[in-house]
Amino acid sequence: MHTILVVDDDPTVAEVVTGYLERAGFAVDRAADGPQALRLAAGKPPSLVLLDLMLPGMDGLEVCRRLRAAGPVPVIMLTARGDEDDRILGLEIGADDYVTKPFSPRELVLRVESVLRRGRPDRDASAGPRLTVAGITLDPAARRVTKDGRVLSLTLREFDLLAHLMRHPGQAIAREQLMHDVWGWEFGDLSTVTVHVRRLRGKVEDDPAAPRLIRTVWGVGYRFDVPAEAPADPSSEIPADASAEAPVEAPAAAALPPSVTSSADVTSATPAPVPSDGS
C-alpha cells in the first residue's frame, strides 16, 4: 500500500484530504510543519508527499529542497498563492506537480494516482532497448540515464519526458500532447511542461542556452534532434537525423476546467469545503 505524507498546517484541509486519500486506498501520515515532515519522511519514507507551500517557520520550498536532496520521493505542492512565479519555483526545485487552493479533493487524488503511476516500471517500456545518442544513454529497465558515462539525477517526470522525446526523434510534439502522454492529464497548466523541459535541458545539454538535442518548435512545442556529427548507436531505435534550430518558443497556456480554477470551495463526501489557508 502506498503511503502519502500530507504536510499542511490547516487541520481542515489536512482532514478532508486525508479522508479522500484513505477512501482511495492510501495510507496517510500527517505533519503540520516542515521539521515534523522531514522527521517523518526520514523515519518512514513515503511514496509521495503532498506539501503545502505556506508553512509556519520552514516554508514548503525549503522542505521540498531537503526532501529532494535526501532522495527521489515524488512531491505535489499545495499552494494558495496565485503568483505563477511561486508555482514555477516549486517545479524548478524538483516538485513533480502542484495544485492551487481551493481545489477539488477528487482532482487531487487523480493527480496523486497519476504521479505514482508514472513512477511504476512500465512493462513494455522496460522490455524495450536502451536508447543512446550524443553520449546520452537511457535505460528504460533500470530507469537510469547517463551522459558520457556519468549518471544523471532525473525526477520521475524528467525521465519520462526524456524517454518520450527520444522515442520520437525529429517529431515536433505539442505541449498539450506531452501533457497527455507524459503527465497523463487531459488538461493543465502548460508552464509545467515548459519548466520540466528547461530543467531537462540543464541536465542533458552541453549548453542549455543553445540546445542541440531538445529544440523548441515555435508555436507548437518541442522536438528531439539527433546531431549529424553524433549519430545514434546502431543498437538504438533512434535514427540519425539533423535538423536546424527552430525559433524561440512562443508562450502558450492551457486553461484548467472551471471545476478546478473557478471553484470557490472544495467539496468533500459530505460537502465540506477545503478553504485556502489564507496566505
Side-chain angles (χ1 to χ4, degrees):
M1 177 184 291
H2 287 295
T3 299
I4 311 301
L5 175 57
V6 176
V7 187
D8 200 309
D9 63 321
D10 186 325
T12 302
V13 173
E15 287 171 10
V16 174
V17 169
T18 296
Y20 268 81
L21 289 169
E22 289 177 340
R23 284 193 289 275
F26 297 106
V28 180
D29 290 330
R30 286 168 52 178
D33 57 41
Q36 184 185 12
L38 294 173
R39 287 194 300 271
L40 287 174
K44 180 184 176 182
S47 305
L48 181 144
V49 179
L50 288 174
L51 177 61
D52 186 26
L53 182 61
M54 296 296 292
L55 293 171
M58 184 188 301
D59 67 17
L61 292 175
E62 180 59 27
V63 175
C64 184
R65 287 190 188 95
R66 298 192 185 191
L67 287 171
R68 296 299 302 164
V73 59
V75 176
I76 297 179
M77 302 204 77
L78 307 177
T79 173
R81 296 183 180 179
D83 191 344
E84 183 182 17
D85 290 342
D86 293 311
R87 302 196 299 269
I88 290 178
L89 181 57
L91 296 172
E92 288 280 10
I93 63 175
D96 295 88
D97 193 6
Y98 68 87
V99 177
T100 303
K101 298 178 182 177
F103 55 82
S104 160
R106 294 183 181 88
E107 171 67 16
L108 182 61
V109 170
L110 290 175
R111 294 290 184 94
V112 168
E113 292 174 340
S114 173
V115 171
L116 291 174
R117 185 168 56 248
R118 300 306 302 181
R120 298 177 194 142
D122 182 90
R123 184 173 301 176
D124 294 335
S126 298
R130 290 191 305 172
L131 311 177
T132 301
V133 61
I136 297 172
T137 298
L138 184 144
D139 186 338
R143 289 191 68 85
R144 180 176 58 203
V145 176
T146 61
K147 179 180 180 181
D148 298 327
R150 176 176 57 88
V151 177
L152 301 181
S153 177
L154 303 184
T155 66
L156 296 175
R157 298 293 193 189
E158 290 168 353
F159 181 93
D160 291 334
L161 178 59
L162 179 61
H164 190 75
L165 292 170
M166 290 181 71
R167 290 190 178 107
H168 300 85
Q171 177 180 336
I173 307 176
R175 292 175 180 82
E176 295 86 350
Q177 189 64 44
L178 288 171
M179 181 161 284
H180 175 273
D181 294 343
V182 177
W183 276 258
W185 304 347
E186 297 297 334
F187 52 84
D189 186 344
L190 295 183
S191 65
T192 299
V193 178
T194 303
V195 169
H196 278 79
V197 167
R198 183 162 65 241
R199 285 177 54 84
L200 189 56
R201 281 172 169 164
K203 297 177 181 182
V204 304
E205 297 281 1
D206 292 330
D207 181 2
R212 298 168 60 247
L213 300 175
I214 304 175
R215 304 291 188 96
T216 297
V217 180
W218 184 85
V220 179
Y222 302 98
R223 183 184 67 236
F224 188 88
D225 284 350
V226 179
E229 65 274 19
D233 187 323
S235 65
S236 168
E237 61 187 24
I238 300 179
D241 176 48
S243 303
E245 174 66 273
V248 176
E249 68 188 280
L256 291 169
S259 62
V260 176
T261 58
S262 62
S263 171
D265 351 84
V266 180
T267 305
S268 67
T270 58
V274 173
S276 164
D277 56 14
S279 46

